[in-house]
Amino acid sequence: MFKRIVLPLVLLAAVGMIAIGCNKGPTPTPTGKALCGGCGQIKGSDVCCKEGVAKCTGCELTKGSPGCCKITKGKDAALCGGCGQIKGSDVCCKEGAEKCTKCNLVKGSPGCCK
């Protein structure tokens, strides 16, 4: 009786865990937000590629923009919906990062309160 009921359930659970894989925490939800490679601002925002703004001498993007000195000029960068950091960066969804009380993203991340 044990082998007929319990063993298939254990095998089914093992197969399910293998199929799903290891979960390292909540899956980041896509925000659809990206940093503009032309200026460093949130793509499509009111200030995106606005003329007459000061440029950073280091990265040539808009000085003080969320992408300033964080992304390469000419390349858009997607923001992670789970943490607000640049998707795939070494700080994306890093454990222990301080969260903003307003937006619940990582405090000071490019996506924080944007």
Side-chain angles (χ1 to χ4, degrees):
M1 170 110 173
F2 175 78
K3 289 182 182 179
R4 290 180 56 197
I5 296 174
V6 176
L7 188 58
L9 289 175
V10 170
L11 289 174
L12 183 62
V15 169
M17 288 172 45
I18 291 169
I20 294 171
C22 178
N23 187 1
K24 292 186 176 184
T27 303
T29 54
T31 61
K33 291 184 180 178
L35 298 177
C36 175
C39 67
Q41 297 287 8
I42 301 291
K43 198 168 182 89
S45 67
D46 296 350
V47 293
C48 183
C49 293
K50 193 171 183 178
E51 291 188 30
V53 295
K55 301 287 182 185
C56 173
T57 56
C59 66
E60 299 178 8
L61 297 173
T62 300
K63 192 172 188 170
S65 67
C68 180
C69 295
K70 294 178 183 163
I71 65 171
T72 304
K73 184 168 176 67
K75 291 187 177 184
D76 293 350
L79 294 179
C80 175
C83 67
Q85 299 285 13
I86 297 168
K87 275 188 182 181
S89 67
D90 56 347
V91 292
C92 182
C93 293
K94 193 170 186 176
E95 287 186 39
E98 185 180 355
K99 298 277 184 157
C100 172
T101 56
K102 293 179 185 175
C103 65
N104 203 34
L105 297 176
V106 172
K107 199 172 196 174
S109 67
C112 180
C113 293
K114 303 291 185 254

